Amino acid sequence: MLWIPGGTFRMGSNDHYAEEAPVHRVTVDGFWIDPTPVTNRQFKAFVNATGYVTTAQIVPNPKDYPGALPNMIYAGSLVFTPPSRVKNLSEWDQWWTFMKGANWRRPYGPKSNIKELDDHPVVHVSYHDALAYAQWAGKELPTEAEWEFAARGGLDGAEFAWGNELTPGGRHMANIWQGNFPTQNTCEDGHARTSPVAAFPPNGYGLHDMIGNVWEWTADWWSNKHDADAPKACCVPQNPRGGAEAESLDPCQPDVRIPRKVLKGGSHLCAPNYCRRYRPAARHAEPVDTSTSHVGFRCVVRAKTAV
Ligand SMILES: [Ca+2]
Ligand SMILES: [Ca+2]
């Protein structure tokens, strides 16, 4: 793991999506963080040691999903399935399939496997799965503030984890999407789906894949926007822990009572024409039970405060 010295930084952005605003100062203590997302090789060691079964491998309880069609209640996970054409960019079910039998060992469905993917990030992990791994490893999941501070790599206020240009000198700095999402993936960065961790340059703190490749779970409950900046330096929040669980529920799905956590960093599906979330300030709400082919995680260890 790598040590991230604590500090005060400007969290969020006023220049993109509403949920990233406002920019506000936050202080975090120093902590250790994994240099890459957790890989299939690492997750396999955890499952071999514990017999752990992931959320995607368990048939859901219909009581948790009022209104769900009975024929949609099965063990599976969301797999990105590129369509040949789309009607619009607002209906995501045109490119996401809740695929029976998809899970971390079978990332693209029952006939797929991870034989060649040992060094790729583990995917199809719910928040519960990420937390179970962290606890087994004697670690924790980062808060959103810790994650964003680490992702910025010491470049306070910069647009990207590496500076203010998406592809400085034409160089691809992260595994994202080039072309017209979701029908055309030109793969100029060399990867259509996940990439081996550390295939792209590290940021200023030596961390790989903070941006792109896979979204990463954080420990914080979702909130629709950030708090206002503190009026004085004395009042800057220290080690903030996100919003309230009850307020993280999805207002568009009032019958479903699954709280949502903050995802960070964007993924290989983030594209300039659709989802410009390949930035440290970007954030996304994800229900704790949901797993997909583009969400993974990494862990932290906090310095123990002297008693
Ligand atoms: Ca790519
Ligand atoms: Ca990432």
Side-chain angles (χ1 to χ4, degrees), residues 172-176 189-191 195-202 207-209:
H172 291 279
M173 302 298 284
N175 180 6
I176 61 171
D189 61 16
H191 302 276
S195 44
V197 298
F200 290 84
L207 307 175
H208 293 274
D209 289 321

Side-chain angles (χ1 to χ4, degrees), residues 130-277:
L131 189 60
Y133 175 94
Q135 287 169 346
W136 170 77
K139 302 179 182 181
E140 295 181 84
L141 295 174
T143 64
E144 181 179 6
E146 288 167 340
W147 195 100
E148 185 168 329
F149 183 76
R152 290 181 177 281
L155 299 176
D156 187 38
E159 188 88 324
F160 302 105
W162 48 84
N164 284 316
E165 258 186 277
L166 179 57
T167 50
R171 188 176 188 196
H172 291 279
M173 302 298 284
N175 180 6
I176 61 171
W177 181 290
Q178 297 85 39
N180 205 19
F181 182 88
T183 53
Q184 176 207 39
N185 187 351
T186 58
C187 301
E188 283 148 47
D189 61 16
H191 302 276
R193 293 187 179 261
T194 58
S195 44
V197 298
F200 290 84
N203 74 0
Y205 290 146
L207 307 175
H208 293 274
D209 289 321
M210 292 300 279
I211 300 305
N213 207 358
V214 289
W215 282 99
E216 299 176 22
W217 287 106
T218 73
D220 287 6
W221 296 114
W222 174 258
S223 54
N224 288 329
K225 60 183 184 64
H226 289 308
D227 292 337
D229 192 29
K232 294 182 193 161
C234 63
C235 313
V236 169
Q238 297 203 341
N239 302 309
R241 304 298 302 241
E245 178 175 350
E247 284 157 29
S248 75
L249 297 171
D250 185 352
C252 299
Q253 298 202 57
D255 295 337
V256 178
R257 309 296 293 170
I258 313 276
R260 298 180 299 169
K261 292 280 185 180
V262 176
L263 297 182
K264 292 293 273 183
S267 82
H268 59 278
L269 301 181
C270 287
N273 74 310
Y274 175 61
C275 170
R276 300 180 317 277
R277 292 192 171 84

Side-chain angles (χ1 to χ4, degrees), residues 20-251:
E20 301 171 20
V23 174
H24 62 297
R25 288 165 296 169
V26 158
T27 301
V28 293
D29 294 336
F31 56 97
W32 299 88
I33 190 166
D34 291 340
T36 72
V38 171
T39 62
N40 281 318
R41 187 195 309 277
Q42 291 172 308
F43 201 79
K44 199 186 294 173
F46 158 61
V47 169
N48 287 347
T50 60
Y52 184 82
V53 177
T54 61
T55 307
Q57 294 168 293
I58 300 169
V59 179
N61 184 344
K63 285 195 192 112
D64 294 334
Y65 305 91
L69 299 171
N71 63 355
M72 292 298 284
I73 299 287
Y74 49 74
S77 190
L78 289 165
V79 177
F80 175 73
T81 316
S84 51
R85 61 172 66 90
V86 285
K87 289 185 299 219
N88 54 54
L89 283 176
S90 58
E91 290 161 46
W92 57 264
D93 61 354
Q94 296 172 99
W95 52 87
W96 284 109
T97 305
F98 183 56
M99 197 179 285
K100 196 174 202 168
N103 60 54
W104 74 274
R105 286 186 192 278
R106 311 238 169 256
Y108 303 114
K111 293 197 177 115
S112 66
N113 63 62
I114 53 170
K115 281 195 189 112
E116 311 284 320
L117 304 179
D118 269 350
D119 295 319
H120 285 232
V122 65
V123 289
H124 297 298
V125 282
S126 68
Y127 180 78
H128 308 297
D129 302 332
L131 189 60
Y133 175 94
Q135 287 169 346
W136 170 77
K139 302 179 182 181
E140 295 181 84
L141 295 174
T143 64
E144 181 179 6
E146 288 167 340
W147 195 100
E148 185 168 329
F149 183 76
R152 290 181 177 281
L155 299 176
D156 187 38
E159 188 88 324
F160 302 105
W162 48 84
N164 284 316
E165 258 186 277
L166 179 57
T167 50
R171 188 176 188 196
H172 291 279
M173 302 298 284
N175 180 6
I176 61 171
W177 181 290
Q178 297 85 39
N180 205 19
F181 182 88
T183 53
Q184 176 207 39
N185 187 351
T186 58
C187 301
E188 283 148 47
D189 61 16
H191 302 276
R193 293 187 179 261
T194 58
S195 44
V197 298
F200 290 84
N203 74 0
Y205 290 146
L207 307 175
H208 293 274
D209 289 321
M210 292 300 279
I211 300 305
N213 207 358
V214 289
W215 282 99
E216 299 176 22
W217 287 106
T218 73
D220 287 6
W221 296 114
W222 174 258
S223 54
N224 288 329
K225 60 183 184 64
H226 289 308
D227 292 337
D229 192 29
K232 294 182 193 161
C234 63
C235 313
V236 169
Q238 297 203 341
N239 302 309
R241 304 298 302 241
E245 178 175 350
E247 284 157 29
S248 75
L249 297 171
D250 185 352

